[in-house]
């Protein structure tokens, strides 16, 4: 059987509430199917509006085999293009980020305007039509200060995500913030292991001493069940919504994205070792309350987020190979906040820098053990890992119909 047939059979035969078969975590052919059927076809978080605030500012990103460039055009719109010259295919923008009046390919100096149109191609034959050789566009949308792209020829409707997400995020004005610090690490594990680890705090007490000073380990915070029955959580929602901050748990019907606001532990107001604020200026001039906890957003397969009163921490997941995943973390602060005056960079980044490295170790040990011939799928904790169960179910239900081509849901065994 080919990999597509094998994957479909394993999904149909898998036990509900159990981890996946070994091949989902380390098989290059299964990884290629993940890329083709999910990553190259769905909306992916790539960065923030504030990173390309001025016309001509750009950044680049690599999604599987696709290099992409994001640029702010002269009218202020954000555009995305395949970062491949229409002459002979060289990357046009080779830097991670920059500022340019036009996008110039370094190979033969073909030059593109900020709207992607070809404006200069020297010494081409008479009759050459520049209008036919603009950069190929990539679908691009911005919502609440977040930029998403989709590599599919016919992208899925972005509107449902925008409608759910923006009421939660617009009060925080992330499109007007700035990135105080950015960190990228490579975790030697499959992208699904990175997500499975993120979707539970069952491991937190024994692995995240700094995070556990402020972030609650309660399953209802990382999971999908029970939050609306918890008096502390409901009281927190009521308090935040009284000052105009949508807070209640909301999830889309397919389970791909969700948002909620959760309280921090005790008197903590920020992710610092002391629990005190990391930045003197609030992230948004319109949000004055301190005890608003953390706004949590998850959007499979690329991002999870924590937005607090004084700063935001955003995470981007991008697969490199079956056994490597890139995780980029960005700390956003008020646009006028000054390092050394309004915040200490080490204090701002300490908790999540430590937590990221601890998670890297966890994922790598998980991947190491799964490579054993003795590995077999094990049961998740229904109490602590319902968020993991939900992620794995989403993955199976999302990729399954694309494997079969009949758009019928996968039927999981409960034996």
């Amino acid at each position: 059987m080919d990999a597509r047939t094998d994957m479909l059979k394993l999904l149909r035969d898998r036990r509900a509430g159990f981890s996946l078969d070994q091949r989902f975590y380390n098989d290059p052919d299964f990884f290629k199917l993940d890329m083709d059927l999910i990553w190259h076809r769905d909306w992916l978080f790539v960065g923030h509006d504030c990173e390309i605030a001025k016309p001509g500012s750009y950044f680049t990103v690599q999604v599987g085999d696709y290099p992409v460039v994001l640029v702010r055009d002269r009218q202020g719109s954000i555009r995305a293009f395949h970062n491949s010259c229409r002459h002979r295919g060289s990357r046009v923008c080779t830097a991670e980020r920059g500022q340019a009046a036009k996008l110039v390919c370094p190979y033969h100096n073909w030059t593109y305007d900020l709207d992607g149109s070809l404006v200069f191609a020297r010494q081409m034959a008479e009759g050459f039509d520049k209008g036919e050789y603009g950069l190929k566009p990539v679908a691009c949308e911005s919502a609440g200060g977040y930029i998403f792209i989709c590599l599919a020829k016919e992208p899925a409707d972005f509107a449902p995500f925008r409608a759910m997400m923006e009421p939660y995020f617009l009060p925080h004005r992330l499109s007007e913030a700035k990135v105080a610090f950015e960190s990228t690490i490579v975790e030697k594990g499959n992208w699904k292991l990175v997500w499975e680890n993120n979707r539970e705090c069952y491991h937190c007490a024994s692995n995240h001493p700094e995070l556990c000073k402020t972030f609650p380990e309660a399953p209802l915070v990382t999971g999908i069940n029970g939050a609306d029955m918890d008096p502390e959580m409901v009281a927190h929602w009521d308090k935040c919504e009284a000052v105009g901050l949508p807070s209640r748990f909301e999830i889309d019907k397919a389970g791909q994205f969700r948002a909620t606001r959760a309280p921090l532990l005790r008197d903590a107001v920020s992710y610092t070792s002391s629990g005190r604020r990391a930045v003197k200026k609030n992230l948004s001039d319109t949000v004055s309350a301190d005890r608003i906890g953390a706004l949590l957003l998850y959007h499979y397969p690329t991002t999870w987020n924590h937005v607090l009163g004084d700063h935001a921490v955003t995470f981007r997941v991008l697969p490199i190979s079956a056994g490597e995943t890139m995780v980029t973390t960005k700390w956003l602060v008020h646009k006028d906040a000054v390092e050394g005056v309004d915040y200490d960079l080490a204090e701002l980044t300490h908790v999540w820098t430590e937590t990221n490295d601890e998670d890297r170790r966890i994922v790598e040990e998980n991947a190491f053990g799964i490579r054993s011939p003795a590995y077999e799928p094990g049961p998740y904790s229904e109490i602590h890992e319902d968020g993991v169960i939900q992620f794995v179910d989403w993955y199976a239900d999302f990729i399954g119909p694309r494997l079969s081509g009949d758009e019928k849901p996968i039927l999981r065994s409960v034996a």
Side-chain angles (χ1 to χ4, degrees):
M1 292 189 293
D2 61 17
R4 182 182 290 257
T5 304
D6 289 350
M7 180 183 278
L8 191 57
K9 183 179 187 305
L10 288 169
L11 287 175
R12 285 175 168 159
D13 291 345
R14 79 182 185 93
R15 296 179 66 181
F18 276 64
S19 59
L20 294 166
D21 184 85
Q22 183 185 62
R23 294 184 66 185
F24 287 93
Y25 300 119
N26 59 19
D27 188 312
D29 291 331
F30 276 31
F31 174 76
K32 186 176 186 306
L33 287 170
D34 281 356
M35 297 304 295
D36 290 345
L37 299 179
I38 296 179
W39 291 86
H40 295 163
R41 288 181 57 176
D42 207 66
W43 289 103
L44 311 173
F45 165 66
V46 290
H48 294 284
D49 299 44
C50 64
E51 296 181 69
I52 45 176
K54 299 178 181 178
S57 53
Y58 70 87
F59 67 83
T60 58
V61 65
Q62 184 79 26
V63 182
D65 293 331
Y66 292 90
V68 178
V69 58
L70 287 295
V71 62
R72 178 87 64 171
D73 70 16
R74 299 184 204 288
Q75 287 68 48
S77 297
I78 297 173
R79 294 175 177 262
F81 302 101
H82 289 281
N83 191 10
S84 178
C85 184
R86 296 298 307 282
H87 176 211
R88 286 170 58 186
S90 176
R91 279 196 303 170
V92 176
C93 298
T94 58
E96 184 177 338
R97 61 186 67 251
Q99 180 76 32
K102 291 181 173 61
L103 306 180
V104 182
C105 177
Y107 198 177
H108 301 96
N109 297 128
W110 278 35
T111 302
Y112 302 88
D113 210 341
L114 302 181
D115 63 1
S117 60
L118 179 63
V119 295
F120 176 73
R122 63 188 177 87
Q123 299 180 2
M124 297 299 289
E126 184 177 350
F128 173 73
D129 184 358
K130 294 195 297 292
E132 295 183 5
Y133 295 96
L135 292 175
K136 292 184 177 181
V138 174
C140 179
E141 295 282 355
S142 172
Y146 288 67
I147 305 171
F148 284 76
I149 62 169
C150 181
L151 294 161
K153 292 181 179 179
E154 297 182 6
D157 188 6
F158 189 77
F161 173 69
R162 182 194 304 281
M164 190 210 77
M165 179 265 206
E166 285 196 329
Y168 289 85
F169 279 78
L170 287 177
H172 295 282
R173 301 174 69 170
L174 293 180
S175 61
E176 303 171 22
K178 69 176 180 181
V179 177
F181 190 72
E182 176 178 336
S183 168
T184 293
I185 61 174
V186 174
E187 301 185 11
K188 295 180 180 178
N190 187 269
W191 69 274
K192 294 184 291 296
L193 291 180
V194 173
W195 267 108
E196 289 190 41
N197 178 63
N198 173 266
R199 295 312 310 119
E200 48 91 356
C201 216
Y202 194 21
H203 70 279
C204 289
S206 55
N207 290 278
H208 296 319
E210 290 296 314
L211 182 63
C212 285
K213 293 177 181 178
T214 55
F215 185 77
E217 302 171 65
L220 56 86
V221 175
T222 53
I224 61 168
N225 297 313
D228 58 351
M229 302 297 291
D230 180 77
E232 181 182 1
M233 186 71 81
V234 172
H236 184 71
W237 291 343
D238 289 342
K239 180 186 71 174
C240 292
E241 293 190 346
V243 294
L245 299 176
S247 299
R248 280 170 168 73
F249 180 89
E250 188 171 350
I251 186 169
D252 89 298
K253 62 182 180 180
Q256 184 174 16
F257 51 85
R258 61 191 180 279
T260 191
R261 204 176 297 273
L264 300 184
L265 293 177
R266 296 175 292 278
D267 296 325
V269 297
S270 191
Y271 291 136
T272 59
S273 296
S274 66
R276 294 189 291 270
R277 58 167 52 236
V279 186
K280 292 178 182 178
K281 287 182 177 291
N282 282 339
L283 181 61
S284 168
D285 294 331
T286 61
V287 178
S288 58
D290 268 342
R291 300 291 302 280
I292 61 172
L295 172 58
L296 310 178
L297 171 75
Y298 304 92
H299 187 295
Y300 302 145
T302 41
T303 187
W304 65 85
N305 302 265
H306 297 252
V307 181
L308 306 124
D310 65 336
H311 73 282
V313 191
T314 71
F315 301 82
R316 185 187 71 194
V317 177
L318 288 174
I320 299 172
S321 67
E324 289 184 308
T325 305
M326 181 184 300
V327 178
T328 298
T329 308
K330 297 177 183 180
W331 287 260
L332 279 68
V333 300
H334 190 282
K335 60 183 174 60
D336 296 328
V338 178
E339 181 183 349
V341 177
D342 296 302
Y343 64 93
D344 176 80
L345 191 60
E347 182 180 37
L348 174 69
T349 60
H350 174 72
V351 169
W352 279 108
T353 298
E354 293 294 308
T355 302
N356 285 345
D357 191 57
E358 291 152 3
D359 281 332
R360 177 197 56 78
R361 175 183 53 79
I362 291 166
V363 168
E364 292 179 357
E365 289 297 331
N366 196 182
F368 197 93
I370 285 174
R371 289 196 293 270
S372 168
Y375 167 80
E376 61 182 44
Y380 296 118
S381 165
E382 293 184 4
I383 298 172
H384 289 279
E385 295 175 304
D386 72 307
V388 187
I389 294 170
Q390 189 273 333
F391 165 72
V392 175
D393 286 349
W394 167 83
Y395 168 78
D397 292 342
F398 198 75
I399 200 171
R402 297 180 177 189
L403 286 165
S404 65
D406 59 10
E407 298 303 313
K408 294 179 181 179
I410 291 295
L411 300 178
R412 294 184 295 276
S413 169
V414 295

